[in-house]
């Protein structure tokens, strides 16, 4: 038979050509199917503003960080309602294979995992970790804030030490109950220093320009194409220490309009559509070609006010606006019941959360009385900023404009590109703005420190309470869990009374995919981890 087949292929007869054509046609669809199953096409509202992990955290940057940076530690996985989530009670090694914490919780020693390689083929050593630490410290942004504000580190040389080629030690000046858990944080990835240093210049000693549009780490993916406002291409790291990803390529396409993302998903042009509106998700739930994944996580969506800018420097004004919010109407008209009211500054799934101090049921007359007491009886005019392409924020903004008008508060609605809005609220140049965020570390003191400590980089409303600062700082250096819990309850009481924000919703996290997409997982940054995804 072998000889006959060879004979047929040698002779260019019609029979031979027909056989060859049929053979090729049988093979090509199979190859195409395999290729399709190794590529995931995602539609999202915006590309990351930057790929540098020192850039201010946003939803878009959190997702890129989740996939292109790997951290020293992680939480063990667990399954809840068919979805892989994190077990907050169990830490596991990631780039650090093992670690030890001193009895007084003032130092941690990381023993790095052998044989970890970047997409460039470089092997991780303690030099990569130390350079990542040094860069983060000198950039004076995210890393330095976590080290200084959470761990209390004031001097780099006193804190960070290379023990040998595979061992690094971090020493903090006082006891810290977060000395382990902080290293799970999405902003604390380890760079491939050898790759990054190729792009260092005299004017840019930390390769910030290059890292804003490129990646170099030991993560499951690297970015091979970055076109801001258009597309990001993630390609698998074949050397990834947990095994090569099942998806060889993830193509993220910016589609600012939710309706366009929905149409692309329905047409099969994309496999995943992020941030569809609750109305759209409700409409898709019965479509057998699609799948809706839903979890209630740690999001808190609110309107933040600049607490140092009149009239928001008066807590009675801030309280009044909270009393004007028609939360039940927002739940029904905007969220279709897919959200919960936010009743505390602490994420509802985290320890020490309480809603006992929430008092802001809609009460227009009470709001008017508070405005009168604040000297604003005739009302005032202000601006409310929201992101271009965010349908939910726009719908809530319209509802708030109508609701606030009942007390003569005139809202000018300002639609801005996400990067512009971030720039405005981070520099204090817009009085009110929508803000949706999550605290990555499941600890009430961490959450409070992140948003409410007057020293925090992302306390954009500039809320300040000496008692709150003191309680937070005490909890950051205490291992007395009963005392920490009591302190965090008191923080919630003060904050709910002072109302630095307009408390809105926990919107949960939902994702729409084609029916053949599997592996959805949920992490505290509410960012998709493409390593977990695959196609059936």
């Amino acid at each position: 038979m072998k000889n006959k087949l060879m004979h047929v292929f040698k002779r260019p007869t019609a029979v031979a050509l027909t056989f060859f054509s049929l053979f090729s046609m049988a093979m090509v669809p199979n190859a195409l199917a395999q290729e399709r199953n190794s590529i995931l096409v995602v539609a999202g509202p915006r590309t990351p503003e930057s790929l540098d992990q020192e850039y201010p955290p946003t939803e878009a940057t959190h997702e890129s960080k989740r996939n292109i940076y790997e951290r020293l530690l992680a939480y063990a996985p667990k399954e809840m309602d068919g979805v892989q989530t994190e077990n907050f009670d169990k830490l596991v090694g990631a780039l650090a294979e093992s670690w030890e914490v001193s009895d007084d919780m003032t130092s941690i020693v990381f023993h790095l995992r052998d044989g970890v390689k970047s997409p460039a083929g470089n092997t991780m050593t303690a030099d990569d970790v130390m350079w990542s630490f040094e860069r983060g410290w000198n950039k004076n942004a995210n890393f330095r804030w976590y080290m200084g504000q959470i761990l209390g580190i004031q001097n780099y040389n006193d804190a960070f030490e290379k023990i040998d080629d595979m061992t690094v030690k971090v020493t903090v000046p006082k006891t810290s109950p977060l000395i382990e858990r902080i290293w799970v944080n999405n902003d604390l990835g380890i760079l491939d220093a050898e790759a990054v240093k190729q792009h260092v210049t005299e004017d840019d000693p930390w390769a910030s320009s290059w890292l804003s549009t490129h990646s170099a780490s030991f993560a499951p993916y690297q970015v091979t194409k970055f076109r801001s406002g258009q597309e990001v291409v993630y390609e698998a790291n074949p050397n990834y220490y947990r095994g090569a990803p099942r998806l060889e390529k993830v193509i993220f396409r910016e589609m600012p309009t939710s309706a366009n993302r929905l149409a692309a998903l329905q047409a099969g042009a994309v496999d995943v559509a992020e941030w569809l509106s609750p109305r759209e998700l409700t409409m898709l739930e019965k479509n057998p070609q699609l799948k809706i994944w839903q979890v209630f996580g740690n999001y808190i969506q609110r309107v933040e006010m600049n607490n140092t800018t009149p009239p928001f420097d008066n807590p009675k004004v801030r309280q009044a606006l909270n009393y004007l919010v028609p939360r039940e109407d927002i739940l029904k008209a905007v969220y279709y019941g897919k959200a919960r009211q936010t009743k505390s500054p602490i994420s509802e799934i985290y320890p020490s959360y309480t809603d006992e101090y929430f008092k802001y049921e809609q009460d227009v007359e009470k709001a008017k009385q508070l405005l009168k007491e604040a000297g604003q009886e005739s009302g005032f005019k202000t601006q409310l900023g929201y992101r271009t392409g965010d349908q939910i924020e726009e719908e809530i903004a319209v509802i708030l404009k109508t609701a606030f008008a009942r007390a003569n508060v005139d809202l000018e609605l300002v639609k801005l590109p996400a990067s512009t809005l971030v720039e405005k609220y981070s520099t204090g140049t817009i009085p009110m703005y929508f803000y949706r965020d999550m605290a990555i570390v499941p600890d009430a003191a961490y959450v409070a420190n992140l948003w409410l400590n007057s020293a925090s980089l992302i306390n954009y409303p500039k809320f300040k309470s000496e008692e709150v600062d003191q309680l937070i700082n005490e909890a950051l250096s205490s291992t007395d869990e009963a005392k920490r819990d009591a302190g965090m309850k008191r923080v919630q009481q003060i904050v709910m009374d002072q109302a630095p924000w307009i408390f809105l919703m926990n919107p949960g996290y939902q994702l729409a995919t084609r029916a053949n997409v599997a592996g959805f997982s949920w992490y505290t940054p509410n960012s998709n981890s493409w390593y977990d995804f695959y196609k059936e």
Side-chain angles (χ1 to χ4, degrees):
M1 181 65 181
K2 178 180 177 181
N3 291 336
K4 289 182 179 179
L5 282 176
M6 290 180 66
H7 180 68
V8 168
F9 286 130
K10 285 179 182 177
R11 297 174 60 188
T13 63
V15 173
L17 291 172
T18 301
F19 181 90
F20 184 77
S21 299
L22 289 172
F23 181 79
S24 300
M25 290 173 64
M27 292 298 291
V28 169
N30 185 48
L32 288 174
Q34 289 180 346
E35 183 179 1
R36 282 195 298 267
N37 282 341
S38 67
I39 298 175
L40 193 75
V41 183
V42 181
R46 64 192 61 83
T47 54
E49 293 84 358
S50 170
L51 298 180
D52 192 336
Q53 64 182 352
E54 292 299 319
Y55 186 86
T58 66
E59 286 165 355
T61 61
H62 269 307
E63 185 161 276
S64 65
K65 292 172 190 177
R66 169 60 49 178
N67 293 287
I68 63 174
Y69 292 101
E70 187 63 275
R71 290 148 290 280
L72 291 166
L73 302 179
Y75 287 113
K78 71 174 184 179
E79 188 172 300
M80 184 172 63
D81 298 328
V83 173
Q84 179 181 299
T85 62
E86 295 174 294
N87 182 351
F88 300 146
D89 296 325
K90 185 177 181 183
L91 282 168
V92 295
L95 294 184
E97 188 167 26
S98 62
W99 67 99
E100 297 111 26
V101 176
S102 64
D103 292 340
D104 61 358
M105 302 185 81
T106 61
S107 68
I108 184 168
V109 176
F110 296 106
H111 301 280
L112 302 180
R113 191 179 297 274
D114 287 329
V116 172
K117 291 183 179 293
S118 70
N122 298 324
T123 301
M124 180 187 69
T125 69
D127 291 334
D128 296 290
V129 177
M130 292 297 293
W131 196 82
S132 300
F133 289 172
E134 186 180 6
R135 179 182 190 270
W137 186 264
N138 283 281
K139 288 290 293 180
N140 199 21
N142 296 334
F143 177 87
R144 183 140 178 190
W145 181 82
Y146 291 118
M147 297 301 104
Q149 188 59 34
I150 304 296
L151 298 182
I153 295 171
Q154 300 300 317
N155 184 286
Y156 178 85
N157 291 328
D158 291 342
F160 303 101
E161 179 184 1
K162 174 185 171 181
I163 304 299
D164 58 40
D165 286 345
M166 298 301 288
T167 312
V168 168
K169 182 178 182 180
V170 179
T171 303
V172 300
K174 56 185 178 180
T175 297
S176 173
L178 298 177
I179 195 167
E180 289 179 285
R181 282 179 283 172
I182 193 69
W183 302 103
V184 177
N185 197 295
N186 226 40
D187 296 317
L188 302 179
I190 303 303
L191 292 160
D192 175 358
E194 185 176 342
V196 178
K197 285 179 180 178
Q198 296 177 23
H199 305 279
V200 164
T201 66
E202 184 176 348
D203 294 332
D204 189 6
W206 303 109
S208 299
S209 178
W210 187 78
L211 280 172
S212 68
T213 57
H214 297 80
S215 66
S217 182
F218 302 93
Y221 288 92
Q222 64 173 324
V223 169
T224 56
K225 181 180 180 182
F226 181 85
R227 297 175 66 189
S228 180
Q230 299 180 48
E231 183 178 81
V232 181
V233 176
Y234 300 87
E235 292 195 24
N237 174 8
N239 308 313
Y240 186 48
Y241 79 94
R242 292 168 61 195
R246 286 172 285 191
L247 294 172
E248 295 177 5
K249 183 182 292 186
V250 176
I251 302 170
F252 181 97
R253 291 175 179 157
E254 178 170 315
M255 295 186 187
T257 304
S258 177
N260 290 343
R261 299 195 295 275
L262 171 66
L265 181 68
Q266 290 176 312
V270 301
D271 301 300
V272 177
E274 297 181 339
W275 295 108
L276 295 184
S277 72
R279 178 185 60 80
E280 291 165 335
L281 291 166
T282 300
M283 182 181 70
L284 295 178
E285 284 177 340
K286 295 183 180 180
N287 187 333
Q289 295 181 319
L290 304 175
K291 205 182 287 185
I292 308 299
W293 307 87
Q294 303 183 69
V295 292
F296 266 107
N298 57 350
Y299 259 125
I300 292 179
Q301 184 167 33
R302 66 259 194 179
V303 168
E304 294 189 340
M305 299 165 277
N306 189 324
N307 290 197
T308 64
T309 302
F312 304 117
D313 56 345
N314 190 324
K316 289 187 176 181
V317 172
R318 305 194 300 260
Q319 293 166 357
L321 297 188
N322 270 286
Y323 279 115
L324 290 171
V325 178
R327 293 176 178 81
E328 288 298 328
D329 293 345
I330 293 172
L331 273 174
K332 293 175 184 176
V334 178
Y335 287 103
Y336 286 72
K338 294 183 181 296
R340 297 171 180 161
Q341 290 189 39
T342 291
K343 297 185 176 183
S344 166
I346 304 300
S347 309
E348 64 180 74
I349 63 171
Y350 288 174
S352 297
Y353 164 83
T354 179
D355 62 3
E356 64 181 301
Y357 303 115
F358 180 82
K359 58 185 178 181
Y360 298 110
E361 303 299 336
Q362 190 178 19
D363 190 332
V364 177
E365 293 307 312
K366 188 170 184 63
K368 289 180 177 179
Q369 180 59 38
L370 285 165
L371 288 174
K372 182 179 180 180
E373 294 172 12
Q376 299 289 338
E377 184 176 8
S378 58
F380 58 91
K381 184 173 182 177
T382 190
Q383 292 182 326
L384 173 61
Y386 65 96
R387 295 176 293 183
T388 302
D390 194 311
Q391 183 178 341
I392 289 177
E393 289 184 357
E394 186 163 26
E395 290 178 8
I396 297 175
V398 171
I399 291 173
L400 292 180
K401 181 176 177 66
T402 300
F404 288 5
R406 295 171 185 167
N408 298 315
V409 176
D410 183 6
L411 277 188
E412 177 190 353
L413 305 184
V414 183
K415 182 190 296 188
L416 296 167
S419 57
T420 304
L421 186 62
V422 170
E423 189 274 332
K424 281 187 172 294
Y425 66 62
S426 62
T427 55
T429 54
I430 191 165
M432 299 175 69
Y433 50 90
F434 279 90
Y435 193 80
R436 180 175 61 205
D437 199 7
M438 79 301 277
I440 298 175
V441 178
D443 179 86
Y446 174 90
V447 179
N449 186 67
L450 194 67
W451 295 330
L452 302 168
N453 195 318
S454 63
S456 172
L457 282 177
I458 63 171
N459 180 356
Y460 299 124
K462 299 180 174 64
F463 169 72
K464 182 174 177 61
S465 162
E466 291 184 4
E467 185 179 358
V468 166
D469 285 352
Q470 180 181 347
L471 289 166
I472 291 171
N473 292 331
E474 287 175 354
L476 290 175
S477 60
S478 172
T479 56
D480 184 335
E481 289 303 323
K483 184 178 179 181
R484 296 180 87 237
D485 180 71
M488 290 304 100
K489 296 283 175 58
R490 174 61 179 155
V491 164
Q492 290 169 84
Q493 182 180 18
I494 295 169
V495 171
M496 294 311 297
D497 177 65
Q498 292 293 300
W501 317 330
I502 295 171
F503 294 86
L504 293 175
M505 302 291 158
N506 168 6
Y509 186 76
Q510 302 89 26
L511 190 72
T513 71
R514 302 294 300 176
N516 68 325
V517 175
F520 172 80
S521 53
W522 182 81
Y523 297 86
T524 55
N526 292 279
S527 51
N528 294 307
S529 175
W530 306 128
Y531 184 78
D532 299 329
F533 282 70
Y534 61 95
K535 289 185 175 180
E536 295 177 328

